[in-house]
Coordinates of all heavy atoms in Angstrom, one line a residue:
P234 N -2.7 9.9 5.4 CA -1.8 10.4 6.4 C -1.4 9.3 7.4 O -0.3 9.2 7.9 CB -2.5 11.5 7.1 CG -4.0 11.3 6.7 CD -3.9 10.7 5.4
I235 N -2.3 8.4 7.7 CA -2.0 7.3 8.7 C -1.0 6.4 8.0 O 0.0 6.0 8.7 CB -3.3 6.4 9.0 CG1 -4.3 7.3 9.8 CG2 -2.9 5.1 9.6 CD1 -3.8 7.5 11.2
G236 N -1.0 6.1 6.8 CA 0.0 5.3 6.1 C 1.3 6.0 6.1 O 2.4 5.3 6.2
I237 N 1.4 7.3 6.0 CA 2.6 8.0 6.0 C 3.3 7.9 7.3 O 4.6 7.7 7.3 CB 2.4 9.5 5.6 CG1 2.0 9.7 4.2 CG2 3.6 10.3 5.9 CD1 1.6 11.1 3.7
L238 N 2.6 8.0 8.4 CA 3.2 7.7 9.7 C 3.8 6.4 9.8 O 4.9 6.2 10.3 CB 2.1 7.9 10.8 CG 1.6 9.3 11.1 CD1 0.5 9.3 12.1 CD2 2.7 10.2 11.5
G239 N 3.2 5.3 9.3 CA 3.7 4.0 9.3 C 5.0 3.9 8.4 O 5.9 3.2 8.8
N240 N 5.0 4.6 7.3 CA 6.1 4.5 6.4 C 7.3 5.1 7.0 O 8.4 4.6 6.8 CB 5.8 5.3 5.1 CG 4.6 4.7 4.3 OD1 3.8 5.4 3.7 ND2 4.5 3.3 4.4
I241 N 7.1 6.2 7.7 CA 8.3 6.9 8.4 C 9.0 6.0 9.5 O 10.2 5.8 9.5 CB 7.8 8.2 9.1 CG1 7.5 9.2 8.0 CG2 8.9 8.8 10.0 CD1 6.8 10.5 8.6
L242 N 8.1 5.2 10.2 CA 8.6 4.3 11.2 C 9.3 3.1 10.5 O 10.4 2.8 10.9 CB 7.4 3.7 12.1 CG 6.9 4.7 13.1 CD1 5.6 4.1 13.7 CD2 7.9 5.1 14.2
L243 N 8.7 2.6 9.5 CA 9.4 1.4 8.8 C 10.6 1.8 8.1 O 11.5 1.0 7.9 CB 8.3 0.7 7.9 CG 7.1 0.0 8.6 CD1 6.2 -0.4 7.5 CD2 7.7 -1.1 9.4
L244 N 10.7 3.1 7.6 CA 11.9 3.5 6.9 C 13.1 3.4 7.9 O 14.2 2.9 7.5 CB 11.8 5.0 6.5 CG 13.0 5.7 6.0 CD1 13.5 5.0 4.7 CD2 12.7 7.1 5.7
T245 N 12.9 3.8 9.1 CA 14.0 3.7 10.1 C 14.4 2.3 10.4 O 15.5 1.9 10.8 CB 13.7 4.4 11.4 OG1 12.6 3.8 12.1 CG2 13.3 5.9 11.2
V246 N 13.4 1.3 10.3 CA 13.6 -0.1 10.6 C 14.4 -0.7 9.5 O 15.4 -1.4 9.8 CB 12.2 -0.8 10.8 CG1 12.4 -2.3 10.9 CG2 11.5 -0.3 12.0
F247 N 14.0 -0.6 8.2 CA 14.6 -1.3 7.2 C 16.0 -0.7 6.8 O 16.8 -1.4 6.1 CB 13.7 -1.3 5.9 CG 12.5 -2.1 6.1 CD1 11.2 -1.6 6.0 CD2 12.6 -3.5 6.4 CE1 10.1 -2.4 6.1 CE2 11.5 -4.3 6.5 CZ 10.2 -3.7 6.4
L248 N 16.3 0.5 7.2 CA 17.7 0.9 7.0 C 18.7 0.3 8.0 O 19.9 0.5 7.9 CB 17.7 2.5 7.2 CG 17.1 3.3 6.1 CD1 17.1 4.8 6.4 CD2 17.9 3.0 4.8
G249 N 18.1 -0.5 8.9 CA 19.0 -1.3 9.7 C 20.0 -0.6 10.6 O 19.7 0.4 11.3
N250 N 21.3 -0.9 10.4 CA 22.4 -0.3 11.2 C 22.6 1.2 10.9 O 23.4 1.8 11.6 CB 23.6 -1.1 11.0 CG 23.5 -2.5 11.6 OD1 22.8 -2.7 12.6 ND2 24.2 -3.5 11.1
V251 N 22.1 1.6 9.8 CA 22.2 3.1 9.5 C 21.7 3.9 10.6 O 22.3 5.0 10.9 CB 21.4 3.4 8.2 CG1 21.5 5.0 7.9 CG2 22.0 2.7 7.0
F252 N 20.7 3.5 11.3 CA 20.1 4.2 12.5 C 20.6 3.6 13.8 O 20.1 3.9 14.8 CB 18.6 4.2 12.4 CG 18.0 5.3 11.6 CD1 17.8 5.1 10.2 CD2 17.7 6.5 12.1 CE1 17.3 6.1 9.4 CE2 17.1 7.5 11.3 CZ 17.0 7.3 9.9
G253 N 21.6 2.7 13.7 CA 22.1 2.1 14.9 C 21.1 1.2 15.6 O 21.1 0.9 16.8
A254 N 20.1 0.6 14.7 CA 19.1 -0.2 15.3 C 19.5 -1.6 15.3 O 20.5 -2.1 14.7 CB 17.8 0.0 14.4
A255 N 18.8 -2.4 16.0 CA 19.0 -3.9 16.2 C 18.3 -4.6 15.1 O 17.8 -5.8 15.4 CB 18.6 -4.3 17.6
A256 N 18.1 -4.1 13.9 CA 17.5 -4.8 12.8 C 18.3 -5.9 12.3 O 19.5 -5.8 12.3 CB 17.1 -3.8 11.7
P257 N 17.7 -7.0 11.9 CA 18.5 -8.1 11.4 C 19.3 -7.9 10.2 O 20.3 -8.6 9.9 CB 17.4 -9.2 11.3 CG 16.2 -8.5 11.1 CD 16.2 -7.2 11.9
A258 N 18.7 -7.1 9.2 CA 19.4 -6.9 7.9 C 19.0 -5.6 7.3 O 17.9 -5.1 7.7 CB 19.1 -8.1 7.0

Side-chain angles (χ1 to χ4, degrees):
I235 290 294
I237 290 174
L238 290 176
N240 298 144
I241 293 173
L242 287 171
L243 290 174
L244 173 63
T245 67
V246 172
F247 290 121
L248 285 177
N250 292 329
V251 173
F252 276 86

